[in-house]
Amino acid sequence: MKFTMPVRMFTGTDCVAQHADDIASFGKKCLIVTGASSAKKSGALDDAVSALTSRGVSYVIFDKIGPNPLLTACIEAGKLASEVGAEFVLGIGGGSPLDAARAAAVFAANPGMDEEGLYSLKWAVKPLPIVLIGTTAGTGSEVTTVSVLTDSKGRKHSVSDPRLFAALSLGDPKYTRSMPLSVTLSTGIDAFCHSAESYLSRKADPFSKAASAESIRLLYRPLMKAIAGETLTDRDRADLYDASILGGVAISVTGTCMPHNVGYFLTEKKGLPHGTACAMLFESMADIIRERNGEKWNEFLKDTGFTTDEILNLVRGSIRGVSFPLTQEEIETVLPRWENNKSVKNTLGDITTEDIRGALMKFAK
Ligand code: NAP
Ligand code: FE
């Protein structure tokens, strides 16, 4: 086994107030990085501001991070952090603001660095300390080293480095109450895809499998409730949130697989929410693995405690009614992208470009 998990992570009710001293330990001034409104709507921003002000920490807010965050916005946030003399970066939101906070911390410490500099990983100065507060139960970004950004070519392009681990991450499941059902489903199925893809990766090991199998056991029932339109209890939300963190732990070891990488294309070109896009590809991957690596698929079922039908019903339910036009020409143009792709190669089943063509053709009009 090989794993590094240096994040101090706390989940639970009122964990932000309870860890005010820990947050304040990173300095006297911080840059808060958020999306347009979820930090406020969820109550997380108010709690963070109370924790900061109660300990005499001043802050400046950068709230211009959209879904699938633009790298240029991270440069802007980093510039603001260095101009105001921020000593740490506090990201609040779903995966988008959290990933953006990570990149902003790099740009803040390295003024003048451009896009290429970020992706080269040749950072002269280490990023400012990163503190994260999650408001979705999905990406597990709170515990990963990954920042998925939209580059200047409009491509989702991730940067990953151990220096991007948060120093402290906090997640109070009550912040997820304000998510609309569509966001609960797209983020919840993202957590499922992390855990299932991780389990079905060539890189899976006993540590990552323990995290991914427990993640799926925790998220299955509440996510099925959400799919059925039932109201989630606070216990359900806590389970979903913890499951998302375990999914993040699992992909920190293995990375993600084919559904995530091909899903990026559906998000870029068709605007599908990230988790929904991954879920659209999941069944094709599952079919291939069942056919070519049946024993591994059966091990996955045994460890999670679900049947193939139960797993596929969860995935299908989360994307019910989602449709988008995809032309054969679009498919042919994009396919070379996955020749020699690392995430695809890490997937069990020896998935080929031909297999990906088949998976995408299911959506062809
Ligand atoms: P998100 O893009 O952060 O948020 C999606 C939408 O939900 C936004 O409109 C957001 O509003 C809203 N929202 C978030 N929390 C809410 C709440 N508590 N109440 C009401 N609305 C809320 O979604 P995400 O799925 O969490 O993150 C997706 C991004 O993470 C993608 O770019 C994906 O590629 C990346 N990702 C990263 C990792 C990793 O390891 N780092 C793993 C998987 C995916 P606001 O815009 O106002 O915030
Ligand atoms: Fe994801």
Side-chain angles (χ1 to χ4, degrees), residues 97-263:
L98 302 194
D99 284 5
R102 257 196 262 289
V106 180
F107 288 119
N110 295 276
M113 181 190 272
D114 60 8
E115 172 171 337
E116 216 174 290
L118 178 76
Y119 286 119
S120 75
L121 302 180
K122 288 185 185 128
W123 311 331
V125 181
K126 70 176 183 341
L128 295 188
I130 300 159
V131 179
L132 302 176
I133 301 178
T135 67
T136 61
T139 66
S141 177
E142 292 88 331
V143 294
T144 73
T145 57
V146 183
S147 178
V148 190
L149 305 172
T150 304
D151 67 17
S152 52
K153 298 189 191 85
R155 285 263 300 254
K156 290 196 72 158
H157 185 171
S158 42
V159 54
S160 172
D161 187 272
R163 289 169 288 180
L164 293 178
F165 271 123
L168 175 69
S169 280
L170 300 163
D172 185 334
K174 72 170 177 253
Y175 300 146
T176 67
R177 283 184 200 145
S178 53
M179 285 193 291
L181 177 62
S182 60
V183 177
T184 302
L185 293 182
S186 66
T187 55
I189 204 66
D190 183 31
F192 167 81
C193 286
H194 293 159
S195 298
E197 288 177 39
S198 175
Y199 199 101
L200 299 165
S201 160
R202 287 182 203 289
K203 292 188 172 172
D205 68 17
F207 176 75
S208 67
K209 282 183 184 174
S212 49
E214 179 61 9
S215 166
I216 292 170
R217 288 192 291 268
L218 274 177
L219 66 73
Y220 191 90
R221 201 189 47 84
L223 201 49
M224 281 305 261
K225 271 177 83 172
I227 287 168
E230 291 172 39
T231 306
L232 297 186
T233 62
D234 284 349
R235 181 71 255 159
D236 294 330
R237 294 198 173 281
D239 285 348
L240 273 179
Y241 190 76
D242 286 350
S244 76
I245 298 305
L246 287 169
V249 167
I251 57 170
S252 286
V253 176
T254 61
T256 52
C257 287
M258 180 279 256
H260 258 71
N261 214 278
V262 181

Side-chain angles (χ1 to χ4, degrees), residues 282-329:
F282 185 84
E283 190 162 346
S284 291
M285 179 192 72
D287 288 346
I288 292 169
I289 296 177
R290 276 161 65 209
E291 193 188 302
R292 301 180 194 164
N293 287 88
E295 74 297 346
K296 294 277 188 193
W297 179 260
N298 289 339
E299 192 189 311
F300 168 67
L301 296 180
K302 190 161 164 264
D303 241 11
T304 54
F306 297 104
T307 63
T308 297
D309 280 350
E310 284 170 330
I311 293 289
L312 295 183
N313 282 341
L314 179 80
V315 175
R316 289 174 190 154
S318 74
I319 52 179
R320 201 170 40 222
V322 178
S323 74
F324 52 90
L326 193 58
T327 65
Q328 198 153 350
E329 197 189 337

Side-chain angles (χ1 to χ4, degrees), residues 25 55 99 361:
S25 70
R55 301 301 191 274
D99 284 5
M361 283 300 287

Side-chain angles (χ1 to χ4, degrees), residues 334-361:
V334 73
L335 275 181
R337 175 166 170 173
W338 296 295
E339 281 161 15
N340 282 320
N341 179 280
K342 238 172 40 192
S343 306
V344 174
K345 283 192 168 157
N346 284 339
T347 315
L348 292 174
D350 296 318
I351 294 180
T352 62
T353 307
E354 198 48 45
D355 293 325
I356 297 175
R357 175 186 281 116
L360 290 173
M361 283 300 287

